[in-house]
Amino acid sequence: MDNTRAKIAVEKGNIIGKVDKYVFGSFAEHLGRCIYNGIYEPNHKEADEYGFRKDVMELVKELGIPIIRYPGGNFVSSYRWEDGIGPVENRPKRLDLAWRSLETNEVGVNEFAHWCKRVGAEPMMAINLGTRGIESALDLLEYCNHPSGTYLSDLRIRHGYQQPHNIKVWCLGNEMDGTWQVGHKTPTEYGRLAAETARAMRMVDPDLKLVSCGSSHTLMDTFPEWEVETLSHTYDVVDYISLHQYFDNECGDSADFLAQSLETDRFIKTVIAVCDYIKAKKRGKKDIMLSFDEWNLWYHSKNQDDNTMKNNPWNTSPRLLEDVYTFEDALLVGCMLITFLKHADRLKMACMAQLVNVIAPIMTEVGGGLCRQTTFYPFLHASKYGRGNSLYSFVVSPKYDTKRFTDVPYLESVVVENEETGDLTLFAVNRNLEETMIVDLHINGFEHYQFKEHIILSSDDLNAVNTPKNPNTVMPYLSNDTVMHLDGGHFEIILGKASWNVVRFCRTPLQ
Ligand code: AHR
């Protein structure tokens, strides 16, 4: 087959599912410089009256993030939420066992919820099911969400937060399958505790959205048995199961590296299969939805992190997980986002891990500037243009094989129709590192649509990066000569080698 030609056909009304806004979620953990010297830096010239950086807030708002998972991650499994409330000067300093850091507790649930409101997001609260359990989860829920008239809700009011935070989405622990987790559990231990915690939390508010912990990654020995056993306890009382996945490029093989989103696809399909198996076994009526609440690339910083935690522990906001992302990293992030959109029927939440400095799309300098990392852009485009109905595509693409993967399509793509704006958007990655690809696109039922714009992220250097000092090395740009309208609903699109593409169409205005 010709490696330079591919076909995509979509049909109006042939819908996979509505893309849930929560798919464009993020994650902020008390880890390294995500919170402290990240979103919160009281001595910075950009700090507002609460100590949060306004320039960071602007970039977070630009990403249009609807929900942010907090406060961990591994951090949450030995966290006492009460340490982070009340007068800051009285808050205890604690050892954070997960990241061998010193936690000052200057930022806690109130400050975070208030910050979320200002950036237009809602918090997604993770509870500690490592060292704690039902009682502390109930206390936190009452403190956050009960209007007034109880000890804990009145305490929140005394702390200056008259209105409840109304946190709707709650994670029942974090990565409890991992031996690195404080309070790690067997699937039966976790399943029982998560189910009982969920049941009690629902007595307070039956409308909460609860997430049962899935596997930490697909290479865990217990995957997918963990999902089978834990869901057999939690099925009736939860709405989602979590998936976590991080990729690397340690072997430096770019073609193989870019194929890894096929693993994301397989992971999603396996977890859906388990959810449906448990549903059948329980003669259940509801579908459990997927919350891909940690996903990203994580490898550039790993050696340095091990060294920091081992040789220089117990500092506040150490430089941990500060991956500086390359252009090719952005391509894989794009492929993962496309994969999520292709599962819009069951994947209803996802959180890019994380938000600032820690494996993040936004990088800041202490006392200095900030930048949009390469990975910022595919996320931004997906969040901006990926809302609506994800459509089934019939795709014919040339394929390649790598060390780990066979039949990898050079073209990774999805089409989303936004019925409100009338826009139709094709997201596409050309994985071919050597050659341009010409895509024949048929948008059946959209014959009256016209080409609007083609946004491209490309670079001659797969290893190009953005930094606060050189923030604009990898930037999206618009192209006018890469899309040809052949006839009604039929377009020819040129995708540059190794590129991320957003091709937008709109209704032709009535003459
Ligand atoms: O995001 C970094 C860490 O990765 C999280 O704390 C943990 O849940 C996962 O292992």
Side-chain angles (χ1 to χ4, degrees), residues 246-251 257 260 297-299 302 332 404:
Y246 295 99
F247 290 129
D248 64 53
N249 189 9
E250 266 151 19
C251 58
F257 167 74
Q260 290 178 105
L297 280 60
W298 174 9
Y299 64 107
K302 271 205 168 140
L332 181 54
R404 290 180 293 173

Side-chain angles (χ1 to χ4, degrees), residues 218 223-224 227 265-275 290:
T218 51
F223 175 75
E227 279 72 5
D265 187 61
R266 197 168 19 213
F267 189 12
I268 292 170
K269 285 176 177 149
T270 305
V271 176
I272 292 173
V274 172
C275 292
L290 274 51

Side-chain angles (χ1 to χ4, degrees), residues 52 70 79 81 84-87 91 106-118 123 125 140 143-144 155-165 167:
F52 289 92
Y70 175 85
Y79 178 55
W81 66 268
I85 57 172
R91 297 186 191 176
E106 284 161 81
V107 173
V109 63
N110 290 321
E111 290 82 12
F112 187 73
H114 184 228
W115 178 82
C116 277
K117 203 179 267 173
R118 283 180 294 142
M125 198 71 196
L140 177 58
Y143 181 85
C144 289
L155 186 62
R156 183 198 66 242
I157 293 169
R158 281 207 301 284
H159 290 158
Y161 296 84
Q162 179 70 43
Q163 295 307 320
H165 299 310
I167 300 174

Side-chain angles (χ1 to χ4, degrees), residues 44-45 53 55-56 363-371 468-469:
H44 196 279
K45 64 176 187 331
R53 275 181 71 160
D55 53 350
V56 174
M363 264 297 198
T364 72
E365 274 178 344
V366 179
L370 79 179
C371 77
K469 291 214 166 60

